[in-house]
Amino acid sequence: LVFVFVQHPMDIGDRVVVNGGVPMYVKRINVMSSTFVTMHNKQVSMPNFQLSTATITNESKSPPAKFEMIFSMGSDTSGEQFAALRGRL
C-alpha cells in the first residue's frame, strides 16, 4: 500500500515495463493490486507487494527514445527519391 501511493512510480495510462517484461499500460491502481494491459490487449493483475520489490521502468516518464538507422542507397538514387524517403522517416 505504501509503495504505490508514496513512491508513486506510475500513473493510470503510463506505459511501464515490470522486471524487464513486456511493455504494458497501467489500467487501474487499487489498494491491494494494480492492473495492466499489454499491447495484445491481455489484462495482467499484480499484487502491490510484488510491485514494491520489482524493477519498474516507466517509459511514459522517461525521455524520448532515440534510434539510429543505417541503410544504403544506390548511386542512381535521385535527390527527389532521397527527399521522399527522408520525409517518411
Side-chain angles (χ1 to χ4, degrees):
L1 173 65
V2 173
F3 166 73
V4 173
F5 296 104
V6 173
Q7 289 192 355
H8 198 71
M10 58 194 174
D11 292 308
I12 304 295
D14 283 357
R15 180 178 158 144
V16 297
V17 175
V18 179
N19 287 333
V22 299
M24 302 182 286
Y25 289 95
V26 181
K27 181 176 182 181
R28 196 171 328 160
I29 302 172
N30 293 322
V31 174
M32 299 299 287
S33 65
S34 296
T35 305
F36 307 89
V37 178
T38 69
M39 302 293 178
H40 300 291
N41 209 28
K42 302 294 181 193
Q43 194 163 294
V44 177
S45 294
M46 293 186 72
N48 289 336
F49 79 86
Q50 286 183 342
L51 291 171
S52 69
T53 59
T55 300
I56 299 174
T57 303
N58 189 327
E59 295 180 346
S60 296
K61 294 181 180 175
S62 302
K66 296 179 183 177
F67 299 93
E68 180 178 329
M69 294 180 3
I70 300 172
F71 57 93
S72 60
M73 297 184 296
S75 59
D76 59 342
T77 303
S78 71
E80 293 162 347
Q81 289 172 317
F82 177 74
L85 173 63
R86 186 173 181 190
R88 288 187 215 143
L89 299 176

